[in-house]
């Protein structure tokens, strides 16, 4: 988790949830995680807010994604960076490595 916060993992892919409702966000995150796992990616960024946009909607999306990610068996760790100074609010996600099967 500390390495994830300090940027020691390179972000391999990102998805932007800005402007989506919670159902659309859930569907996009589900697809994004499935594709990422299938292609072997481990460090992802889920963008959910654009600076000083609509804080109510961004809070709903942030909570939805954080709760959903917290229950996902493929997620090793994630950390949140809130929107500030006109930037994106984002969740950085570290996926578990695929287990090698014999």
């Amino acid at each position: 988790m500390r390495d994830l916060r300090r940027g020691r993992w390179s972000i391999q892919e990102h998805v932007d949830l800005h402007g989506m409702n919670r159902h659309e966000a859930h569907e996009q995150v589900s697809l994004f995680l499935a594709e990422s796992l299938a292609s072997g990616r481990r460090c992802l960024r889920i963008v959910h807010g654009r600076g000083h946009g609509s804080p109510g909607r961004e809070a709903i999306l942030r909570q939805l994604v954080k709760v959903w990610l917290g229950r996902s068996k493929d997620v090793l760790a994630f950390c949140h960076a809130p929107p500030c100074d006109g930037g994106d609010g984002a969740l950085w996600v570290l996926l578990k490595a695929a287990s090698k099967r014999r």
Side-chain angles (χ1 to χ4, degrees):
M1 189 67 160
R2 188 178 308 141
D3 288 344
L4 189 60
R5 281 194 182 124
R6 291 181 179 171
R8 292 186 182 150
W9 290 87
S10 61
I11 302 297
Q12 296 171 318
E13 194 67 58
H14 80 276
V15 65
D16 191 343
L17 304 182
H18 182 69
M20 293 183 190
N21 65 36
R22 62 182 93 177
H23 301 293
E24 293 168 331
H26 189 280
E27 184 177 320
Q28 287 300 310
V29 171
S30 297
L31 289 170
F32 184 53
L33 289 181
E35 290 171 3
S36 297
L37 286 164
S39 61
R41 283 176 258 167
R42 290 206 58 210
C43 194
L44 315 172
R45 184 168 68 121
I46 299 172
V47 178
H48 62 75
R50 294 288 172 91
H52 305 294
S54 53
R57 172 170 280 190
E58 308 313 341
I60 289 169
L61 291 178
R62 181 177 68 245
Q63 188 61 30
L64 169 79
V65 173
K66 284 178 73 173
V67 168
W68 191 79
L69 286 174
R71 292 193 310 249
S72 176
K73 62 182 175 56
D74 298 312
V75 174
L76 183 63
F78 64 92
C79 62
H80 174 242
C84 61
D85 300 328
D88 294 334
L91 287 157
W92 282 269
V93 181
L94 183 61
L95 298 177
K96 291 180 180 175
S99 58
K100 294 180 181 177
R101 297 183 183 177
R102 294 179 186 190

